[in-house]
Amino acid sequence: QVQLVESGGALVQAGGSLRLSCAASGRTFRRYTMGWFRQAPGKEREFVAAISWNSESTYYAYSVKGRFTISRDNAKNTVYLQMNSLKPEDTAVYYCAADLWGMGSVNRYEYEYWGQGTQVTVSS
């Protein structure tokens, strides 16, 4: 079992940057593809980015490609989401998720474990 704890959410102005972190418990972190999803009020939870267990493959939603970067440090059991050039439409609760031996799916139902979320608010 994996427990995930996100941090780094904040209020930021449009054009600014934030880095989210997700710390995972357990010794099997490297077996999991890790993903970031987000959910805005009144909307479905949507895929943002994912990274394979060995960081060789990364996947991004079209809306964030070129602005967000996902990375991971298996020695620290942590996955990151660097968010640059933030826009008001990036405002959402951001969730970290883990998919055992996953393939970077955009489908949230493929992910077995979830964190509690961290709020990102981008003001115009």
Side-chain angles (χ1 to χ4, degrees):
Q1 188 158 351
V2 176
Q3 292 184 325
L4 304 172
V5 179
E6 302 97 333
S7 61
L11 170 64
V12 63
Q13 288 190 331
S17 298
L18 279 177
R19 188 176 82 154
L20 304 183
S21 299
C22 173
S25 66
R27 295 178 289 179
T28 59
F29 177 72
R30 63 176 60 250
R31 298 179 185 177
Y32 291 85
T33 286
M34 299 300 296
W36 285 97
F37 288 74
R38 67 187 181 186
Q39 188 167 17
K43 293 190 176 182
E44 293 286 318
R45 190 170 299 189
E46 65 175 5
F47 172 79
V48 175
I51 187 167
S52 63
W53 69 275
N54 58 1
S55 301
E56 285 190 354
S57 299
T58 56
Y59 312 87
Y60 295 95
Y62 179 80
S63 59
V64 306
K65 201 165 187 180
R67 299 189 297 123
F68 291 11
T69 303
I70 189 170
S71 61
R72 67 190 293 165
D73 185 338
N74 286 346
K76 295 182 178 179
N77 280 14
T78 302
V79 62
Y80 305 97
L81 186 68
Q82 177 67 43
M83 306 187 294
N84 299 329
S85 302
L86 283 161
K87 304 175 181 180
E89 51 264 44
D90 295 318
T91 295
V93 177
Y94 282 71
Y95 296 90
C96 172
D99 180 11
L100 182 64
W101 299 122
M103 300 297 291
S105 175
V106 303
N107 183 348
R108 67 178 190 258
Y109 298 107
E110 297 288 332
Y111 292 79
E112 294 92 348
Y113 300 105
W114 291 84
Q116 83 290 348
T118 186
Q119 177 70 49
V120 172
T121 303
V122 184
S123 63
S124 57

